[in-house]
Amino acid sequence: MAKTKKAPRPKAETPKGFRDYFGVEVSERAEMLRKIAGVYHRYGFDALETSAVETVEALGKFLPDVDRPNEGVFAWQEFDEDDKGDWMALRYDLTAPLARVYAQYRNDLPTPYRRYAMGPVWRNEKPGPGRYRQFYQCDADTVGTASMAADAEICAMLADTLEELGIPRGDYLIRVNNRKVLNGVLNVIAPERPNESGETTRETIRRVWDISTRDAVLRTIDKFDKVGEAGVRELLTTGRKDSSGAFIEGVGLNKQQAERVVRFLVARGSTNADTLKNLQEAVGDSADGEEGVYELQQIAELLAAQGYGPDRIVIDPSVVRGLGYYTGPVYEAELTFEIFDEKGRKRQFGSVAGGGRYDDLVKRFTGQAVPATGVSIGVDRLLAALREKGRIGGAVEGPVVVTVMDRDRMADYQTMVAELRSAGIRAEVYLGNPKNFGNQMKYADRRGSPVAVIAGSDEFDAGKVQIKDLVLGAQIAENATLEEWKERPSQFEVPRDHLVAKVREILDGQESGQG
Amino acid sequence: MAKTKKAPRPKAETPKGFRDYFGVEVSERAEMLRKIAGVYHRYGFDALETSAVETVEALGKFLPDVDRPNEGVFAWQEFDEDDKGDWMALRYDLTAPLARVYAQYRNDLPTPYRRYAMGPVWRNEKPGPGRYRQFYQCDADTVGTASMAADAEICAMLADTLEELGIPRGDYLIRVNNRKVLNGVLNVIAPERPNESGETTRETIRRVWDISTRDAVLRTIDKFDKVGEAGVRELLTTGRKDSSGAFIEGVGLNKQQAERVVRFLVARGSTNADTLKNLQEAVGDSADGEEGVYELQQIAELLAAQGYGPDRIVIDPSVVRGLGYYTGPVYEAELTFEIFDEKGRKRQFGSVAGGGRYDDLVKRFTGQAVPATGVSIGVDRLLAALREKGRIGGAVEGPVVVTVMDRDRMADYQTMVAELRSAGIRAEVYLGNPKNFGNQMKYADRRGSPVAVIAGSDEFDAGKVQIKDLVLGAQIAENATLEEWKERPSQFEVPRDHLVAKVREILDGQESGQG
């Protein structure tokens, strides 16, 4: 017979930059999101789920002015007869769809509109270690109010959320800053310029930054976390050698200007009142700056009234992440307990959520500025933190495996698992080839089973069943002396109708043993 | 000043064929999926979450042998220097990714592998009313065992799932059929052909269908639900006039052949044993058919042993959906209670889940046939059913709204909501412009609020608070006489420290009032 040419087999591979999640990775995340949704709901936030797909036009940023507008996003052109269909894309965050939805339904939505959204987003970026092209976001935003009560509320909600997830008070801190305060500081130290008539009297002088310098100052401030006070001082003025020995040019501020910026960054006092006083001084007579300080004061007062003291939520001008992006208050939640990094060094766990106020949410669509404030939780980082603290991942997850000694007794084995499940115990019958009993025990091991149930014709005749504690069995196999092995048997023969009670007893013992 | 030409504003529109889900639409689905996952987990099924994106190669069916392989799927070409990147696509179901994962990780996964998956899938199809291009699927499959215990287990799990979701016993029925039985019926009625030597004795005769006739028979059987017994009989033989008067040509079987097929379809007896006896007769001496009947018998026995009688799971040869696709047992869950359709006619709610056994899951990747069986729940139909039965959607969902009479008292209002939330009550402060009190009540109405809290300077001075029952208020406004209105006030003044207790009392009353 002539050989027919076969097409090569497709490769079974996760696409590059994506990953698969198995078992508890999935269920623990689902449980975390459920708890977060519960807190958000209690705060009056409503769920919103938009589709993964948006028109590129609605997403913005990535407009089809080039042949293929898929830089950064996954995009494709819809098919129509002239090949001129709309460009579509996978959402790259949850804020762009919120903007579209708010513009679209604004007459039907309550004002203000509190909404939360959770789900995957997609980025068409070069994948790297730990960086994936699909990941979860979990956002809450309040749209349509300029009230600082909205910002305070989100900070309080964030604190409640972390505690609900099992992060105890003292192990987290929410820090609040305000872009307007920074603006105020920049206003008062901006270079003096003559007014339009060329006058330079006290009344007519203008303080104006050229844009590139201002941006350079913002970029430098953003490095505060990394280079610290002295580093920022150098970078704002004459420049700095970095750890590799390379020289980074400075922004060129004079010493007084740089000092003022640094004083803003380190303005945190021992109380919120002290901090606010320091900030008041830092912004001098800038109207912008005064407004910013007043906003922070309102937030601090609202939170204090609800019992959120500075041990949980604190005014801290050293929060710089996002100061360049947001327009008012900025907030960040960090976990303060120490972990060991991959090199074995102690360090704080760091940021797990951040957000702030932004005012141009729907302007692209409607021309109208709509104030909004919101937060995004880093789902995967927070999951890692909860695992680190042993708050999740400790429970026995594998099912009780009922082994098959006699294929003709399958109905009896099914009856056993049905009883176990009715009692809320995760259980399954071994459904592979039962010939080799060793394979069944290997299977139970691979499944992480806590207990195996064994019954052959001897047991059925005697109305009994064998129950094997696999966790204890593994411990004994590893450590025990012969005497211990005799004293603490890991296998028990019980009457058939004691099956559920004995399995429950063993499971309870395993859990308390892990506690 | 010269007018600068502005780019037109983007349209704020949900992309065609997609939809947005708000509030309870999202949370009710999440809660339903959580309950389903709980049952699946108890049965030993492990969660699997793959990314939305797969290579077109791995998805199969839609290979890049044409310029743009996005017929039916959303696909795009990855960008590389030569413009020859891989074709990627959004998954169109959850089975194709399972095949990829099983082939990829088969050495690390337990055998058999029980897995569940839930999430959106995407179809690039012409959207229609109620048909969307993104929708949820919720699948459970057992891969790597040919045992009928796997099929029986999935049927039992399906029954447990429906009951867990609040569909009472008697309101659903899981019907089981088997493709092999149909094969057996077709074998015994196939046209007689001479053997290769041209002999036609009893021993050498072969019964063989030409493929097109066989397919036509399968397609006709698939219409059984619609056209009924008499209709199928006509369509299998000489043809039939449909309701519009058009003549549909028949398949051309003779009367005896057609009768045998119909007898298979209506073989359900008053007990499973009767049904199996009827089927045994229908398949005659076909080995395929006998195997199919034996498989159904095993399933029935396993289920009976676990207490799943034919009131919940029944052998029913009239299940025809999917018979063309699956290779062994086929099962379907339907809801048997009656609803009124859009034309006001009574009809049964119908199918909410279906599945069966298929054997070519990973063969594309590995060349090896791997037996598998699985079920898919129609998430949106099941949600609709639960709403229909009043099992979800009845609870008060809107938040208690604390109105703002005095903007300077914001901290006090925040304290009130904090107390309510601590007691587990959904609550929020009105954060819009508080000037117009009417707007605040309109807002509460739009939010579906059950209760409004009102406190101005009079109340603060007296240490009191006003609490308004908005549900009762609305009822009274609609129906009550003046006397009733006086007897059943909907607004109460209580001491400030009774706030939580009084709100709780009103909420409890509203819930019991709703039944």
Side-chain angles (χ1 to χ4, degrees):
Chain A
M1 247 167 61
K3 255 192 182 170
T4 50
K5 205 179 153 193
K6 272 190 195 165
R9 285 187 191 134
K11 283 193 285 284
E13 281 178 2
T14 315
K16 271 185 213 73
F18 293 88
R19 57 161 295 195
D20 303 303
Y21 296 84
F22 292 89
V24 291
E25 292 177 325
V26 179
S27 50
E28 285 174 358
R29 181 171 55 206
E31 182 58 15
M32 191 180 92
L33 293 177
R34 188 181 76 86
K35 284 185 180 166
I36 295 174
V39 178
Y40 287 3
H41 183 261
R42 210 156 66 224
Y43 269 79
F45 284 69
D46 275 350
L48 170 66
E49 185 170 328
T50 58
S51 62
V53 177
E54 295 278 347
T55 63
V56 166
E57 181 189 355
L59 279 185
K61 286 194 193 175
F62 311 92
L63 291 166
D65 47 7
V66 287
D67 260 10
R68 189 177 34 206
N70 53 0
E71 199 67 35
V73 296
F74 292 102
W76 61 89
Q77 192 170 16
E78 287 280 90
F79 188 76
D80 72 1
E81 49 283 0
D82 304 323
D83 221 357
K84 300 270 189 207
D86 289 341
W87 276 93
M88 312 293 281
L90 293 178
R91 65 184 178 207
Y92 57 83
D93 72 5
L94 299 173
T95 309
L98 171 63
R100 192 263 300 160
V101 163
Y102 190 81
Q104 183 172 347
Y105 302 95
R106 62 190 183 283
N107 296 327
D108 302 313
L109 291 172
T111 299
Y113 176 49
R114 292 176 177 94
R115 88 89 180 78
Y116 70 86
M118 351 185 110
V121 301
W122 293 264
R123 304 267 170 94
N124 193 354
E125 287 167 350
K126 226 184 161 68
R131 283 183 57 213
Y132 296 102
R133 299 163 93 184
Q134 172 177 331
F135 54 92
Y136 269 76
Q137 288 197 337
C138 172
D139 288 15
D141 295 81
T142 301
V143 183
T145 176
S147 167
M148 284 303 113
D151 301 81
E153 176 177 88
I154 283 181
C155 292
M157 186 166 77
L158 200 47
D160 284 11
T161 300
L162 294 175
E163 293 187 18
E164 177 86 15
L165 294 176
I167 311 270
R169 218 165 283 189
D171 268 0
Y172 71 88
L173 189 62
I174 294 159
R175 298 149 72 217
V176 186
N177 197 1
N178 194 315
R179 167 64 188 264
K180 288 179 184 165
V181 179
L182 172 61
N183 285 352
V185 172
L186 294 181
N187 287 348
V188 294
I189 62 168
E192 299 189 350
R193 304 277 165 93
N195 74 356
E196 275 166 21
S197 332
E199 294 170 288
T200 55
T201 65
R202 207 184 182 298
E203 283 70 33
T204 58
I205 205 89
R206 299 182 313 149
R207 294 184 168 276
V208 181
W209 290 97
D210 62 88
I211 298 293
S212 68
T213 310
R214 196 187 172 95
D215 285 353
V217 172
L218 284 173
R219 274 199 306 277
T220 303
I221 286 175
D222 220 27
K223 292 181 190 149
F224 180 57
D225 284 342
K226 229 191 279 174
V227 303
E229 186 180 333
V232 164
R233 196 176 274 119
E234 288 171 353
L235 286 172
L236 285 174
T237 53
T238 53
R240 175 174 189 268
K241 261 194 194 145
D242 73 10
S243 55
S244 72
F247 185 76
I248 315 291
E249 228 175 303
V251 178
L253 301 196
N254 64 36
K255 233 181 136 180
Q256 287 72 27
Q257 288 173 314
E259 207 48 45
R260 200 95 183 211
V261 173
V262 170
R263 249 205 285 162
F264 160 71
L265 292 174
V266 300
R268 182 166 158 191
S270 58
T271 64
N272 279 342
D274 282 354
T275 306
L276 291 167
K277 216 178 110 211
N278 293 341
L279 289 178
Q280 192 64 64
E281 278 165 26
V283 300
D285 59 359
S286 157
D288 253 20
E290 275 181 18
E291 192 174 307
V293 175
Y294 179 58
E295 288 181 358
L296 287 175
Q297 187 189 335
Q298 286 178 78
I299 291 174
E301 282 172 6
L302 286 167
L303 289 170
Q306 292 171 73
Y308 297 88
D311 57 324
R312 290 200 272 168
I313 308 176
V314 69
I315 307 294
D316 185 348
S318 73
V319 176
V320 291
R321 265 206 345 178
L323 268 192
Y325 170 70
Y326 293 110
T327 56
V330 177
Y331 28 90
E332 183 168 45
E334 61 178 34
L335 302 185
T336 54
F337 58 81
E338 286 178 331
I339 56 159
F340 292 96
D341 67 12
E342 58 283 7
K343 288 179 183 164
R345 291 171 307 207
K346 264 192 182 178
R347 61 168 189 80
Q348 292 206 330
F349 192 92
S351 173
V352 291
R357 181 165 280 281
Y358 50 100
D359 289 324
D360 54 354
L361 185 70
V362 297
K363 206 172 179 181
R364 283 182 56 239
F365 293 103
T366 64
Q368 223 179 351
V370 173
T373 187
V375 70
S376 188
I377 291 183
V379 177
D380 292 317
R381 276 188 64 75
L382 193 48
L383 266 176
L386 291 170
R387 289 192 183 114
E388 189 78 39
K389 289 294 274 184
R391 293 287 158 178
I392 53 173
V396 174
E397 272 287 337
V400 171
V401 170
V402 174
T403 59
V404 174
M405 306 293 285
D406 180 352
R407 204 194 274 263
D408 293 335
R409 297 280 195 168
M410 192 53 101
D412 294 302
Y413 299 125
Q414 293 284 7
T415 308
M416 292 181 196
V417 289
E419 285 173 22
L420 289 166
R421 288 171 190 150
S422 293
I425 296 168
R426 189 179 197 209
E428 53 175 60
V429 172
Y430 178 71
L431 289 185
N433 186 337
K435 255 190 206 161
N436 182 332
F437 188 71
N439 279 347
Q440 300 200 43
M441 293 315 287
K442 266 185 222 154
Y443 172 86
D445 186 49
R446 181 166 279 188
R447 297 288 283 126
S449 302
V451 168
V453 176
I454 304 161
S457 50
D458 287 354
E459 283 80 9
F460 282 113
D461 290 346
K464 307 255 176 176
V465 64
Q466 302 278 344
I467 299 175
K468 200 172 163 63
D469 181 337
L470 298 176
V471 175
L472 182 59
Q475 287 168 0
I476 290 176
E478 223 168 281
N479 304 314
T481 62
L482 184 62
E483 284 68 38
E484 286 172 326
W485 191 86
K486 281 183 184 161
E487 265 169 44
R488 303 182 61 198
S490 66
Q491 186 161 334
F492 311 89
E493 187 175 88
V494 299
R496 169 66 184 79
D497 57 358
H498 290 192
L499 167 69
V500 171
K502 186 68 195 175
V503 169
R504 163 67 62 213
E505 182 193 317
I506 293 174
L507 292 176
D508 288 348
Q510 288 173 354
E511 261 176 45
S512 65
Q514 287 187 345
Chain B
M1 251 168 55
K3 256 193 180 167
T4 50
K5 203 178 155 194
K6 272 191 195 164
R9 286 189 192 133
K11 283 192 285 285
E13 280 177 2
T14 315
K16 270 186 214 72
F18 293 88
R19 58 161 295 195
D20 304 303
Y21 295 84
F22 292 89
V24 291
E25 293 177 324
V26 179
S27 50
E28 286 173 356
R29 181 172 55 205
E31 182 58 15
M32 190 180 91
L33 293 178
R34 189 180 76 86
K35 284 185 181 164
I36 295 175
V39 178
Y40 287 4
H41 182 261
R42 210 156 67 225
Y43 269 79
F45 284 69
D46 275 351
L48 170 66
E49 185 170 329
T50 57
S51 61
V53 177
E54 296 277 347
T55 63
V56 167
E57 182 190 353
L59 279 186
K61 285 194 195 175
F62 311 91
L63 291 166
D65 47 7
V66 288
D67 261 10
R68 189 176 33 203
N70 53 359
E71 199 66 35
V73 297
F74 292 103
W76 62 89
Q77 192 168 19
E78 286 280 89
F79 187 75
D80 72 2
E81 49 285 357
D82 303 324
D83 221 357
K84 299 271 190 208
D86 289 340
W87 275 94
M88 312 292 282
L90 294 178
R91 64 184 178 206
Y92 57 85
D93 72 6
L94 299 173
T95 309
L98 170 63
R100 193 263 300 158
V101 163
Y102 191 81
Q104 183 173 348
Y105 303 95
R106 63 191 182 282
N107 295 326
D108 302 314
L109 291 172
T111 299
Y113 177 48
R114 292 177 176 92
R115 88 88 180 77
Y116 70 86
M118 355 185 106
V121 301
W122 294 265
R123 304 267 170 96
N124 193 354
E125 288 167 351
K126 226 184 162 73
R131 282 182 59 212
Y132 297 102
R133 298 162 96 185
Q134 172 176 331
F135 53 92
Y136 269 75
Q137 288 197 337
C138 173
D139 287 16
D141 295 82
T142 300
V143 183
T145 177
S147 167
M148 284 302 112
D151 301 81
E153 176 177 88
I154 283 180
C155 291
M157 187 165 78
L158 200 48
D160 284 11
T161 300
L162 294 174
E163 292 186 21
E164 177 85 16
L165 294 176
I167 311 270
R169 218 165 284 186
D171 268 0
Y172 70 89
L173 189 62
I174 295 158
R175 298 150 70 217
V176 186
N177 196 359
N178 195 314
R179 167 65 189 265
K180 287 178 186 167
V181 178
L182 172 61
N183 285 353
V185 172
L186 294 181
N187 287 348
V188 296
I189 61 167
E192 299 189 351
R193 305 277 164 94
N195 74 355
E196 275 164 20
S197 332
E199 296 169 287
T200 55
T201 65
R202 203 180 185 297
E203 284 70 35
T204 57
I205 206 92
R206 299 181 314 153
R207 294 185 168 275
V208 182
W209 291 96
D210 61 89
I211 299 293
S212 68
T213 310
R214 194 189 173 96
D215 285 353
V217 172
L218 283 173
R219 274 200 307 277
T220 304
I221 286 175
D222 221 27
K223 291 180 191 149
F224 179 57
D225 283 343
K226 228 192 279 175
V227 302
E229 188 180 329
V232 164
R233 196 175 274 120
E234 287 170 353
L235 286 171
L236 285 175
T237 52
T238 52
R240 175 174 189 265
K241 261 195 195 143
D242 73 9
S243 55
S244 72
F247 185 76
I248 315 292
E249 227 174 303
V251 177
L253 300 196
N254 64 38
K255 232 180 135 182
Q256 287 73 25
Q257 289 173 314
E259 208 46 46
R260 199 93 183 212
V261 173
V262 171
R263 249 206 284 162
F264 160 72
L265 293 173
V266 300
R268 183 166 159 191
S270 58
T271 65
N272 279 343
D274 281 353
T275 307
L276 291 167
K277 215 178 111 217
N278 294 342
L279 289 178
Q280 192 66 62
E281 277 164 26
V283 301
D285 59 359
S286 157
D288 254 22
E290 277 182 17
E291 193 175 307
V293 176
Y294 179 59
E295 287 180 357
L296 287 175
Q297 187 189 335
Q298 286 178 78
I299 291 174
E301 283 172 6
L302 286 167
L303 289 169
Q306 293 171 71
Y308 297 88
D311 56 325
R312 292 199 272 168
I313 309 177
V314 69
I315 307 295
D316 185 348
S318 72
V319 176
V320 291
R321 264 206 345 177
L323 268 192
Y325 171 71
Y326 293 110
T327 56
V330 178
Y331 28 91
E332 184 167 44
E334 61 177 33
L335 302 185
T336 53
F337 58 81
E338 285 177 331
I339 55 160
F340 293 95
D341 67 13
E342 59 283 4
K343 288 180 184 165
R345 290 171 305 207
K346 263 194 183 179
R347 61 168 187 81
Q348 292 207 329
F349 192 91
S351 173
V352 290
R357 181 166 279 280
Y358 51 100
D359 290 324
D360 54 353
L361 184 70
V362 298
K363 205 171 179 182
R364 283 183 56 240
F365 294 103
T366 65
Q368 225 178 349
V370 173
T373 187
V375 70
S376 188
I377 291 182
V379 177
D380 292 316
R381 275 189 63 76
L382 192 49
L383 267 174
L386 291 169
R387 290 194 183 111
E388 189 76 41
K389 287 294 274 182
R391 293 288 160 177
I392 54 174
V396 174
E397 272 288 336
V400 171
V401 169
V402 174
T403 59
V404 174
M405 307 292 285
D406 179 352
R407 205 194 274 263
D408 292 335
R409 297 278 195 169
M410 193 52 103
D412 294 302
Y413 300 124
Q414 292 284 6
T415 308
M416 292 180 196
V417 287
E419 284 173 22
L420 290 165
R421 287 172 191 150
S422 293
I425 295 168
R426 189 179 195 207
E428 54 175 59
V429 173
Y430 179 72
L431 289 185
N433 186 339
K435 254 191 207 159
N436 181 334
F437 188 71
N439 279 347
Q440 299 199 45
M441 293 315 285
K442 265 185 221 153
Y443 172 85
D445 186 47
R446 183 166 279 190
R447 298 287 283 126
S449 302
V451 169
V453 177
I454 304 161
S457 51
D458 288 353
E459 283 81 10
F460 282 112
D461 290 347
K464 305 254 178 178
V465 63
Q466 303 278 343
I467 300 176
K468 198 171 165 64
D469 181 337
L470 297 176
V471 175
L472 182 59
Q475 286 168 0
I476 289 176
E478 223 169 281
N479 304 314
T481 62
L482 185 62
E483 285 67 38
E484 286 172 326
W485 191 86
K486 279 186 185 160
E487 265 169 45
R488 301 183 62 198
S490 66
Q491 187 161 333
F492 311 89
E493 187 175 85
V494 300
R496 168 67 182 80
D497 58 358
H498 289 194
L499 167 68
V500 171
K502 187 68 194 173
V503 169
R504 165 65 63 212
E505 182 193 317
I506 293 174
L507 291 176
D508 289 348
Q510 288 173 353
E511 260 176 48
S512 66
Q514 287 187 342

